[in-house]
Amino acid sequence: MGKIVEMSERTAAYCESIARREDKSDFSIKNVMALVKDCGPVPGTDEHFVASLIFTRRAEREMFMTLDTPEQRFEWLGRKHEWMTRSDASK
């Protein structure tokens, strides 16, 4: 039983260290959503809403961060919204 508790504690500590590392990156939700606002979408727009949905996933945030200009970011969000809407309509 002691080994199980020890392994559980190690696992919890490891997961917490990963979470702390993720929070310190440039890809945090807060940082990425600030870039969303900088490229134009404000709360209430389709682009802002889709960003609030997809940027809970790190891979989506990383993809967004590869885009160089606010214009590219805004266009990407618009296309992402169109793609998500088209996918929902086909179900």
Side-chain angles (χ1 to χ4, degrees):
M1 184 67 157
K3 288 189 178 201
I4 293 173
V5 170
E6 181 183 341
M7 286 175 51
S8 177
E9 289 172 350
R10 282 186 187 175
T11 301
Y14 177 73
C15 290
E16 288 174 10
S17 72
I18 290 173
R20 281 192 297 272
R21 268 186 272 151
E22 214 172 281
D23 290 344
K24 293 178 183 177
S25 76
D26 289 337
F27 304 134
S28 72
I29 293 171
K30 183 176 181 177
N31 289 345
V32 173
M33 288 305 291
L35 286 176
V36 168
K37 290 178 187 173
D38 287 346
C39 75
V42 294
T45 62
D46 292 335
E47 293 83 3
H48 189 275
F49 179 70
V50 77
S52 71
L53 293 176
I54 64 174
F55 292 148
T56 59
R57 293 186 301 272
R58 183 171 176 83
E60 295 283 5
R61 295 191 308 266
E62 287 179 3
M63 182 62 228
F64 184 75
M65 295 297 283
T66 66
L67 303 170
D68 295 323
T69 66
E71 294 80 16
Q72 290 172 341
R73 291 182 179 127
F74 185 82
E75 181 181 350
W76 186 85
L77 287 169
R79 287 177 179 235
K80 190 70 166 178
H81 175 262
E82 287 176 21
W83 180 81
M84 290 175 73
T85 304
R86 183 176 35 226
S87 295
D88 288 342
S90 65
K91 291 181 183 178

